């Protein structure tokens, strides 16, 4: 990984999506910790369990340095929001951060750029580290609309974040067509899109653009990771399917360690 040249520490985050009960999470984490060895020393590592397994995951990972992330949260601190979870609730459990704007939530749960405009600063203000997901659909890419789509998502999602706090947000570039399809972006496509995102951030703050970590996500596996992670602007990955297998995820962390 390019930490030596970029100064950015590699970052590997596993998004379990709606996988693993509490008992399965505990068993998986034991296996992951023994598989990780010292690969985690040079890489920031995080996992994103379903809400119900957050507390057990925090407990299992206590003292290991592996961070725990929720997969969504409400922008409100509390209120009449049936089925929602707030930042103070996550913080109370010892959660480090939260994934926001995943394309599955945009597609299936009506998550909008408007709501992310509130959620990202709400997470930061509460002391949670946001991972903001962006990415174009296949149709948008084919029609030459990728840059317009990414620009819109970044502008809205980060609109209320002051320039001096931009680098506290992690961005995940997840092209929708690569998620769960087995068809990852090529290393060149990942680099091109992530460099574009970094340039967009540079319009707000050149210092933040240098510091912000931008991850790739979409069908990343042990056999394609090294080439994608070796790109100069790719700082790590948000991993779906392969993060639910302890030895695959440990291998991915080792690939990021270089
Ligand atoms: P896959 O790695 O399963 O394609 O999922 C990527 C993703 O959506 C991570 O958030």
């Amino acid at each position: 990984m390019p930490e030596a040249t970029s100064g950015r520490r590699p970052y590997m985050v596993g998004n379990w999506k709606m996988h693993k009960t509490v008992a399965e999470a505990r068993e998986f984490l034991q296996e992951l910790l023994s598989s990780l060895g010292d690969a985690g020393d040079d890489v920031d590592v995080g996992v994103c369990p379903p809400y119900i397994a957050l507390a057990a995951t925090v407990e299992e990972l206590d003292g290991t340095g592996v961070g725990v992330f929720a997969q969504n949260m409400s922008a409100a601190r509390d209120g009449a929001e049936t089925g929602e979870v707030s930042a103070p609730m996550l913080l109370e459990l010892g959660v480090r951060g939260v994934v926001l704007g995943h394309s599955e939530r945009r597609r299936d749960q009506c998550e909008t750029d408007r709501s992310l405009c509130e959620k990202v600063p709400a997470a930061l203000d509460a002391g949670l580290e946001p991972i903001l997901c962006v990415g174009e659909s296949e149709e948008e890419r084919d029609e030459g609309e990728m840059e317009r789509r990414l620009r819109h998502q970044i502008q809205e999602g980060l609109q209320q974040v002051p320039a001096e706090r931009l680098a506290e947000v992690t961005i995940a570039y997840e092209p929708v067509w690569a998620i769960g399809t087995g068809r990852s972006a090529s290393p060149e496509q990942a680099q091109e899109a992530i460099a574009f995102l970094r340039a967009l951030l540079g319009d707000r703050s050149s210092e933040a653009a240098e510091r912000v970590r931008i991850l790739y996500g979409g069908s990343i596996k042990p056999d394609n990771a090294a080439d994608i992670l070796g790109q100069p602007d790719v700082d790590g990955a948000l991993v779906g399917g392969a993060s639910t297998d302890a030895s695959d995820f440990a291998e991915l962390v080792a690939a990021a360690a270089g």
Side-chain angles (χ1 to χ4, degrees):
M1 286 290 290
E3 186 187 6
T5 47
S6 75
R8 297 181 296 270
R9 191 170 152 87
Y11 205 177
M12 297 297 283
V13 182
N15 176 10
W16 300 357
K17 307 188 179 183
M18 198 173 70
H19 292 284
K20 301 194 191 300
T21 62
V22 173
E24 288 165 349
R26 286 192 191 277
E27 192 182 337
F28 170 87
L29 291 163
Q30 293 300 331
E31 202 184 327
L32 178 65
L33 290 174
S34 57
S35 309
L36 269 182
D38 53 14
D41 291 356
D42 300 320
V43 180
D44 284 340
V45 181
V47 293
C48 317
Y51 285 134
I52 53 116
L54 284 171
T57 302
V58 168
E59 196 181 299
E60 294 289 339
L61 294 176
D62 185 36
T64 65
V66 178
V68 182
F69 291 74
Q71 298 175 15
N72 180 42
M73 64 164 224
S74 167
R77 285 184 57 84
D78 52 26
E81 295 198 15
T82 303
E84 290 293 316
V85 168
S86 71
M89 295 171 186
L90 297 174
L91 280 168
E92 185 188 36
L93 294 182
V95 165
R96 182 183 295 172
V98 59
V99 172
L100 294 172
H102 193 282
S103 64
E104 286 153 10
R105 293 200 58 81
R106 294 176 187 263
R107 183 192 64 205
D108 302 331
Q109 318 294 337
C110 305
E111 183 78 87
T112 62
D113 288 319
R114 271 281 108 209
S115 69
L116 293 165
C117 176
E118 293 179 13
K119 287 184 179 187
V120 178
L124 279 176
D125 288 347
L128 288 169
E129 180 192 320
I131 300 179
L132 173 65
C133 301
V134 299
E136 81 288 358
S137 67
E138 181 153 42
E139 196 183 4
E140 286 163 341
R141 176 171 276 266
D142 289 348
E143 289 173 358
E145 290 288 304
M146 176 184 90
E147 293 193 352
R148 192 192 57 78
R149 183 75 186 117
L150 294 180
R151 182 181 295 109
H152 185 77
Q153 289 175 328
I154 286 287
Q155 279 175 351
E156 291 269 311
L158 300 178
Q159 192 181 356
Q160 311 282 1
V161 177
E164 64 275 13
R165 297 205 71 181
L166 280 176
E168 295 172 50
V169 180
T170 296
I171 308 292
Y173 168 63
E174 300 206 313
V176 176
W177 47 271
I179 295 178
T181 59
R183 190 181 135 217
S184 75
S186 68
E188 296 73 24
Q189 286 171 323
Q191 167 60 24
E192 185 195 12
I194 289 179
F196 175 71
L197 291 168
R198 199 175 297 288
L200 285 178
L201 284 155
D203 292 342
R204 297 270 314 274
S205 158
S206 52
E207 198 225 327
E210 277 303 308
R211 283 176 47 216
V212 74
R213 289 188 290 187
I214 312 184
L215 316 182
Y216 167 78
S219 296
I220 196 145
K221 303 269 176 333
D223 62 4
N224 63 15
D227 287 345
I228 294 175
L229 296 174
Q231 299 299 310
D233 280 287
V234 179
D235 300 317
L238 183 57
V239 186
S243 78
T244 60
D245 179 288
S247 65
D248 278 358
F249 190 53
E251 234 182 286
L252 290 171
V253 173

